[in-house]
């Protein structure tokens, strides 16, 4: 059983992150942006609030995650990168850099979508193990093996896809190495 504080953080995380997951796709609608910039801004604030609360509550839950040290670093990195990408998106729009804002929002939503990707990977990783688990598989062991892989697998591929989308749209891409002058 989780301590009450961690259980509370879990519920807060579920609600806040769900809000971000549901509001996020609306923000990509050109029609919404054209028709009502005010609504776009309001939903953007709701989305960023969901990301902020979701990331902080995720950090609070880290010490009790069931994936051990891999989960601590995988989910911890996700929470930190998620919050940092949201801050970068917000800062970009505040200085009027719409293209950078769009690029960072794509990345931020890719990280938000890690919740969905995690569940897809879990299902796939459990299904792959079952044929080799014997006639009476220990479901808890099969699940534990699958869950051990998802702390990084749920979000790193999402970022790769996001970066591909950013570059495909001609938006400012993130470079690990500075380009030569």
């Amino acid at each position: 059983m989780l301590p009450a504080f961690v259980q509370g953080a879990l519920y807060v995380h579920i609600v806040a992150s769900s809000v971000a997951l549901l509001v996020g796709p609306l923000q990509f609608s050109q029609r919404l942006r054209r028709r009502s910039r005010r609504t776009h801004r309001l939903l953007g604030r709701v989305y960023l609030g969901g990301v902020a609360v979701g990331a902080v509550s995720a950090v609070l839950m880290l010490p009790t995650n069931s994936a051990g040290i891999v989960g601590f670093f995988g989910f911890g990195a996700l929470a930190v990168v998620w919050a940092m990408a949201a801050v970068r998106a917000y800062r970009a729009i505040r200085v009027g850099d719409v293209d950078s804002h769009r690029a960072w929002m794509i990345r931020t939503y890719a990280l938000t979508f890690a919740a969905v990707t995690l569940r897809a990977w879990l299902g796939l990783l459990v299904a792959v193990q079952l044929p080799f688990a014997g006639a009476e598989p220990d479901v808890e062991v099969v699940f534990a093996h699958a869950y051990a892989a998802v702390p990084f697998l749920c979000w790193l591929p999402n970022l790769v896809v996001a970066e591909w989308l950013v570059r495909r749209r001609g938006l400012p891409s993130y470079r690990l190495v500075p380009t030569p002058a």
Side-chain angles (χ1 to χ4, degrees):
M1 188 69 183
L2 292 174
F5 176 75
V6 175
Q7 196 152 7
L10 173 64
Y11 294 140
V12 167
H13 177 75
I14 290 169
V15 171
S17 301
S18 294
V19 166
L21 192 60
L22 294 171
V23 170
L26 299 172
Q27 292 302 90
F28 293 109
S29 168
Q30 288 181 8
R31 175 189 253 173
L32 175 67
R33 282 194 309 269
R34 276 196 309 263
R35 286 188 177 177
S36 180
R37 189 172 289 192
R38 185 179 183 150
T39 302
H40 176 76
R41 287 179 180 162
L42 175 66
L43 288 175
R45 289 182 179 109
V46 169
Y47 173 79
L48 290 176
V51 169
V53 172
V56 169
S57 58
V59 169
L60 294 175
M61 294 184 301
L62 280 176
T64 60
N65 87 84
S66 60
I69 195 79
V70 174
F72 183 85
F73 286 106
F75 293 134
L78 169 58
V80 170
V81 172
W82 192 29
M84 288 175 57
V87 167
R88 296 283 303 262
Y90 179 76
R91 284 184 178 166
I93 202 60
R94 294 300 294 171
V95 297
D97 187 351
V98 175
D99 286 344
S100 289
H101 170 72
R102 286 183 178 158
W104 282 107
M105 288 307 290
I106 289 170
R107 294 178 187 109
T108 303
Y109 194 71
L111 295 167
T112 303
F113 206 73
V116 176
T117 310
L118 180 144
R119 283 145 186 89
W121 275 113
L122 271 178
L124 178 65
L125 293 171
V126 165
V128 166
Q129 292 178 74
L130 287 178
F132 308 102
E136 303 250 347
D138 184 343
V139 178
E140 288 183 18
V141 170
V142 169
F143 182 83
H145 288 158
Y147 199 73
V150 297
F152 286 99
L153 204 52
C154 71
W155 63 275
L156 285 173
N158 292 14
L159 271 186
V160 170
V161 171
E163 200 59 33
W164 175 77
L165 289 170
V166 164
R167 290 174 187 223
R168 186 169 174 233
R169 287 172 169 78
L171 297 170
S173 61
Y174 189 77
R175 301 203 186 283
L176 295 176
V177 181
T179 54

